[in-house]
Amino acid sequence: MKKKLTHIFSDHHSSPPPSSSSSSSSPSSTSSDHDQARSPFKDESYVSSMLSYLFPSNESISKKDEDDYIEPMQLKSIRCGKTIISKQDNEEQLQTARGTSSCDVFVDAIDLQTPKKYIPDQNLDSVFITSELYQFFQSCLPNIVKGCRWVLLYSTVKHGISLRTLIRNSYDLPGPCLLITGDTKGAVFGGMVNSPLTPTPQRKYQGTVQTFVFTTLYGPPTLFRPTGANRYFYMCLNDMLAFGGGGSFALRLDGELLMGTSGPCDTFGNQRLAHNDEFELKNVELWGFTHSSRYHS
């Protein structure tokens, strides 16, 4: 292409201008006009240079690319945590290393599926709560109180034997309350209520489907949730606190918190929670919850 254009330009400007009244024109005038016409292209080297600039050859492009080429950086050995990244000679490995953050690749992976291990609060002053029982509660308590700090609202050891005191102390914190008690033969049992206890003048059931009862009588802690057979979740009077109904109470405590009864009921589909139908209470505790995290990963 360049050679053709050079030839065209050379032929065009080397040809003499058309003659008009040549007989009357002087030789000097003709020579001057011809020189002016060829002044922008005095020689072929100038044209060749211009065309080389406009239409670079493949050889010049290749040479320029070679001049502009930068050798890719080679990775050296880098220590990151417990992992050593060795030198990479492979181009594909280089691109992978450049496109991925070292922190994302080499930081030890965390198993997100591993459940949190809940550690009992060191301030839990309880006659009943063991590490096993605490883990059990964390799996069955409502989500609104999981991870919260436990607060002892009532204990017969500290506050005396009185259901009225237990009811009054349940208002120290809003939200759900957990009742824990046991018999003198070692069984631990109780139930969950969804709010502070409110005594009614007549027998009237309260609660929601969040209410449940539990026991350790049969080995590991066993949970009994509402079956949907009825809505007899719990009943609170000034002289009685009972869970469930339909057949018998799942758990009933008297006004002095000294004696209790337990049996199968339709509300929770439970078995007897204590060793006997009637039993002496070992202790009674009522726990509330505040939104202050006390667990560790």
Side-chain angles (χ1 to χ4, degrees):
M1 181 68 179
K2 184 177 72 174
K3 292 180 179 180
K4 288 182 180 181
L5 289 175
T6 303
H7 181 71
I8 291 170
F9 274 106
S10 300
D11 291 347
H12 174 75
H13 292 289
S14 61
S15 61
S19 60
S20 61
S21 305
S22 56
S23 57
S24 61
S25 299
S26 64
S28 60
S29 174
T30 302
S31 176
S32 175
D33 293 340
H34 183 67
D35 291 339
Q36 289 178 0
R38 294 193 57 186
S39 60
F41 310 100
K42 293 181 180 181
D43 50 51
E44 292 186 6
S45 62
Y46 178 83
V47 175
S48 178
S49 299
M50 290 295 295
L51 292 176
S52 297
Y53 177 80
L54 295 175
F55 304 95
S57 63
N58 292 335
E59 294 179 358
S60 61
I61 293 175
S62 300
K63 184 177 181 181
K64 182 178 179 181
D65 291 343
E66 291 176 359
D67 294 337
D68 294 339
Y69 180 76
I70 299 175
E71 187 71 20
M73 295 177 62
Q74 300 294 325
L75 290 179
K76 298 182 180 180
S77 296
I78 302 173
R79 184 176 296 275
C80 182
K82 298 180 180 180
T83 306
I84 297 179
I85 310 168
S86 60
K87 179 178 178 180
Q88 305 293 328
D89 294 325
N90 189 297
E91 181 67 20
E92 182 178 353
Q93 292 176 336
L94 260 176
Q95 294 297 330
T96 302
R98 287 170 180 167
T100 310
S101 170
S102 58
C103 294
D104 293 339
V105 175
F106 302 110
V107 172
D108 292 341
I110 299 175
D111 185 6
L112 299 179
Q113 301 300 321
T114 303
K116 291 182 181 297
K117 182 178 181 180
Y118 292 91
I119 308 300
D121 194 314
Q122 299 300 319
N123 296 323
L124 291 185
D125 185 12
S126 174
V127 175
F128 303 111
I129 298 177
T130 61
S131 178
E132 179 186 17
L133 193 57
Y134 188 83
Q135 296 286 340
F136 165 75
F137 288 138
Q138 292 299 332
S139 67
C140 62
L141 288 174
N143 290 332
I144 194 173
V145 300
K146 285 184 178 180
C148 291
R149 183 169 63 90
W150 291 48
V151 178
L152 183 61
L153 302 177
Y154 173 84
S155 171
T156 52
V157 173
K158 293 185 175 182
H159 304 96
I161 49 175
S162 172
L163 179 59
R164 290 177 181 269
T165 302
L166 184 150
I167 293 171
R168 183 173 61 252
N169 288 4
S170 70
Y171 281 88
D172 289 349
L173 288 174
C177 300
L178 179 64
L179 178 78
I180 305 176
T181 186
D183 60 20
T184 55
K185 295 183 178 180
V188 178
F189 42 86
M192 182 82 179
V193 296
N194 62 291
S195 63
L197 296 169
T198 302
T200 57
Q202 298 179 346
R203 293 195 172 196
K204 181 181 179 181
Y205 279 98
Q206 307 175 55
T208 68
V209 292
Q210 289 185 339
T211 307
F212 63 77
V213 294
F214 72 92
T215 183
T216 63
L217 179 63
Y218 305 102
T222 305
L223 180 71
F224 299 98
R225 292 192 182 274
T227 62
N230 56 51
R231 298 183 62 83
Y232 303 157
F233 301 119
Y234 71 88
M235 180 189 303
C236 181
L237 305 173
N238 285 321
D239 60 353
M240 184 185 72
L241 176 62
F243 288 82
S248 61
F249 295 123
L251 176 63
R252 184 188 69 85
L253 309 182
D254 65 14
E256 288 76 31
L257 301 180
L258 293 175
M259 300 297 296
T261 63
S262 178
C265 79
D266 297 336
T267 306
F268 301 107
N270 62 284
Q271 300 170 284
R272 189 178 60 209
L273 305 182
H275 283 90
N276 304 106
D277 294 341
E278 297 185 6
F279 49 87
E280 181 182 350
L281 295 172
K282 180 180 179 180
N283 188 23
V284 178
E285 297 175 356
L286 185 69
W287 291 88
F289 308 91
T290 61
H291 292 279
S292 177
S293 178
R294 293 290 185 179
Y295 64 81
H296 305 278
S297 300

